[in-house]
Amino acid sequence: MRLTLIHPCIGRRKDQPYIRLWQMEPLPPAAIAGLTPDGVEIKFYDDRMEPIPYDEPTDLVGISVETYTAKRAYQIASEYRKRGVPVVMGGFHATLCPEEVSQYADSVVVGEAETLWETVLKDAERKTLKPYYRADSRPSLARMKPQRLIYKGKNYLPIGLVEAGRGCHFVCDFCAVQTVFGHTQTRRPADDIFTELEQLREKPLIFFVDDNITSNMAQAKEFFKELKKLKIRWVSQASINAAHDEEFLHLIKESGCQGVLIGFESLNPDNLKKMNKGFNTMQGGYEKALANLRKHNIRLYITFVFGYDEDTEASFKQTVDFALHHKFYIAAFNHLTPFPGTPLYKRLEQDGRLLFDKWWLDDRYSYNMIPFQPAHMTPERLQRGCVDARAEFYNWSNIWNRSMDSVNRSSALMWWQFYGINAMFRREVRQRDYYPLGDESFSGTLLKVRERGEPINW
């Protein structure tokens, strides 16, 4: 059997190459390849960096879909299905919108694939693919062994992506993670992770892609005690509660932590309550948390989101000033995005504030546009405010001032990387504005499997 795995890009402007700034190894296709039995011939194509050979013989195509890549994924599926090749889709968007995805895929994997993938392949070989596959419960991650041979010959950033845990126990209003995983987390066996890390020794930096490395604090502490022995450098994503646990901060620093991404999201306590992130202000709030992180020399990638109902024109400057005062290694200033299936999306839909029916498929929508009506400003002002905030934080003067911070320059390697990373963020400030979702060169209409998804019986 021949299997083709595709990682779709967000979109592409007509007759222009895709934006090449942050191409890291995509973990989902490697995870699927690792679940594929011996004897299946696997080909992998990354739509961000190479043409897809639609006419190359194959028996099945697998595509992992995110909301931002949905339109492009449907275009790719249409090309294969015109050639009589069946397509199976999975991933976050397939779990959030299974009936929509089933219109463009012969089969949809809803949820996690660990216990389903071999059955999908057997049914495909027998030409008896079902419209939907879904596990009854969250699977063990013990079988997860990414097959990185599929990356051979591709020019990715020299960062090794490793998944230690999946999911998060918080119930943030805007977050698709809690919608997909039901605010739970599962973790891989520690020995499996250490074996994988040994195989990635040549990587100068490891990125633990966990949605929240602190979601199970007790297990995380035991893991980082052992991780120290490997002497690797790593970064990951964490919630702010980690900043108030001195033992945890000591352990992650000793185990090679070079920095963490933490979602501050807003400086306004009323916004945080609406996000279900009131815990951000607990135990002394941001100032106490930042003081603890600084004491342990933890570099910070802090994310902010604008567009909640308490945001005003003044919110942008207040937030940028705060980020500059604390000299964050990097920061993101994003607009609120209502992802389907989230409490946020449902609330905006009920209130009649969504500006598009399925913004991710609407031809009028493009990247960085605001798909809803904010409370205290126009959508255009919200979009411009986010761009201006990025431009201010990443102007050359502020990059230089932040580079002189004692935490940011506490490692020669990370200080050197600081300038390259910040230069890329500076270059990207306006580069993605109005970038199309889907390839503008795609001709014709999307080829549908069925007009409406068949009912999902579970």
Side-chain angles (χ1 to χ4, degrees):
M1 184 178 181
R2 297 163 299 186
L3 170 67
T4 300
L5 299 176
I6 305 290
H7 182 73
C9 68
I10 289 174
R12 189 174 283 106
R13 290 194 170 108
K14 192 172 183 178
D15 301 324
Q16 291 186 22
Y18 189 66
I19 296 173
R20 288 298 309 273
L21 282 180
W22 297 101
Q23 269 74 47
M24 289 190 284
E25 301 167 347
L27 198 53
I32 290 296
L35 294 171
T36 301
D38 294 340
V40 176
E41 178 187 339
I42 301 175
K43 294 289 185 70
F44 166 61
Y45 298 102
D46 192 328
D47 186 40
R48 299 173 298 174
M49 54 178 37
E50 60 190 334
I52 299 173
Y54 294 109
D55 293 319
E56 179 180 80
T58 188
D59 300 305
L60 181 67
V61 171
I63 306 175
S64 183
V65 189
E66 298 176 4
T67 302
Y68 272 113
T69 64
K71 183 187 283 189
R72 178 59 184 148
Y74 301 158
Q75 292 175 345
I76 294 169
S78 294
E79 290 294 341
Y80 276 108
R81 296 197 69 260
K82 286 176 186 176
R83 293 160 172 81
V85 179
V87 176
V88 58
M89 292 189 188
F92 259 50
H93 193 71
T95 301
L96 294 169
C97 301
E99 293 199 3
E100 174 197 298
V101 174
S102 76
Q103 295 179 58
Y104 306 98
D106 297 270
S107 187
V108 181
V109 174
V110 184
E112 296 159 279
E114 275 74 11
T115 59
L116 302 172
W117 186 241
E118 285 194 39
T119 302
V120 173
L121 292 177
K122 288 176 182 177
D123 287 353
E125 198 163 20
R126 292 191 294 255
K127 302 187 186 305
T128 58
L129 274 173
K130 299 179 181 67
Y132 302 100
Y133 293 84
R134 176 167 178 151
D136 295 331
S137 59
R138 295 206 61 190
S140 165
L141 299 182
R143 295 185 62 220
M144 185 184 177
K145 294 177 174 57
Q147 177 52 269
R148 289 183 166 82
L149 288 175
I150 67 170
Y151 300 148
K152 186 177 180 180
K154 293 176 172 52
N155 186 26
Y156 293 118
L157 290 175
I159 300 172
L161 274 62
V162 174
E163 185 174 40
R166 186 184 298 168
C168 176
H169 70 278
F170 289 119
V171 288
C172 302
D173 176 68
F174 57 84
C175 183
V177 171
Q178 60 95 5
T179 304
V180 169
F181 299 124
H183 47 89
T184 62
Q185 188 194 55
T186 52
R187 295 188 66 80
R188 291 173 67 195
D191 287 346
D192 289 359
I193 304 169
F194 296 142
T195 298
E196 186 175 342
L197 291 170
E198 287 286 1
Q199 297 167 353
L200 295 172
R201 280 289 186 181
E202 78 283 1
K203 301 290 186 183
L205 187 67
I206 297 297
F207 175 21
F208 288 114
V209 299
D210 301 28
D211 304 300
N212 183 356
I213 62 166
T214 68
S215 198
N216 187 319
M217 185 67 80
Q219 286 187 352
K221 286 180 178 179
E222 293 304 312
F223 173 75
F224 290 120
K225 287 176 184 176
E226 294 299 314
L227 184 64
K228 177 182 176 180
K229 301 173 185 176
L230 294 187
K231 300 185 184 304
I232 64 169
R233 296 185 179 94
W234 63 270
V235 294
S236 191
Q237 305 171 107
S239 49
I240 198 170
N241 60 302
H244 302 290
D245 190 315
E246 293 283 345
E247 180 189 15
F248 182 80
L249 294 181
H250 174 76
L251 286 172
I252 63 172
K253 188 63 180 180
E254 287 291 302
S255 69
C257 177
Q258 302 300 305
V260 292
L261 182 156
I262 300 178
F264 277 24
E265 319 308 3
S266 179
L267 302 181
N268 187 304
D270 291 329
N271 276 341
L272 292 171
K273 288 177 183 176
K274 291 180 179 179
M275 297 176 191
N276 289 332
K277 292 199 73 164
F279 58 84
N280 272 18
T281 59
M282 295 172 65
Q283 301 185 63
Y286 291 147
E287 296 298 334
K288 179 66 181 300
L290 289 170
N292 288 346
L293 290 160
R294 174 168 289 277
K295 182 168 63 175
H296 290 272
N297 274 340
I298 305 293
R299 296 171 197 83
L300 295 176
Y301 178 3
I302 300 297
T303 62
F304 299 98
V305 62
F306 300 98
Y308 265 87
D309 288 353
E310 301 305 317
D311 282 327
T312 66
E313 296 272 347
S315 302
F316 301 109
K317 184 177 188 306
Q318 178 190 15
T319 304
V320 174
D321 288 348
F322 176 86
L324 291 174
H325 172 72
H326 287 285
K327 295 180 170 60
F328 297 140
Y329 192 85
I330 47 180
F333 305 90
N334 299 321
H335 67 73
L336 186 63
T337 301
F339 286 100
T342 60
L344 169 68
Y345 189 94
K346 293 174 183 177
R347 188 172 67 255
L348 291 174
E349 186 176 42
Q350 290 169 358
D351 294 346
R353 292 172 61 185
L354 294 178
L355 301 179
F356 303 91
D357 179 23
K358 297 184 178 181
W359 54 266
W360 55 94
L361 295 182
D362 198 305
D363 289 338
R364 297 170 298 168
Y365 181 84
S366 54
Y367 199 81
N368 268 356
M369 287 181 66
I370 310 302
F372 69 98
Q373 177 58 54
H376 297 301
M377 64 188 87
T378 65
E380 294 75 19
R381 179 65 187 97
L382 175 55
Q383 180 180 359
R384 188 173 69 254
C386 293
V387 172
D388 291 346
R390 295 179 204 125
E392 174 69 12
F393 187 77
Y394 291 106
N395 72 40
W396 288 120
S397 175
N398 285 329
I399 289 175
W400 173 257
N401 288 336
R402 290 186 290 109
S403 77
M404 292 295 106
D405 177 70
S406 59
V407 175
N408 292 337
R409 58 188 174 90
S410 59
S411 156
L413 172 67
M414 295 303 291
W415 192 26
W416 173 254
Q417 294 291 341
F418 174 93
Y419 295 103
I421 291 170
N422 276 266
M424 284 198 290
F425 270 95
R426 173 183 166 81
R427 180 182 169 189
E428 201 181 46
V429 164
R430 292 181 174 84
Q431 192 176 32
R432 293 180 186 268
D433 254 16
Y434 301 108
Y435 206 76
L437 302 192
D439 189 341
E440 290 181 334
S441 301
F442 179 79
S443 58
T445 57
L446 298 176
L447 182 63
K448 291 189 176 183
V449 179
R450 52 189 71 85
E451 283 304 311
R452 293 187 61 191
E454 297 176 7
I456 308 173
N457 298 314
W458 58 60

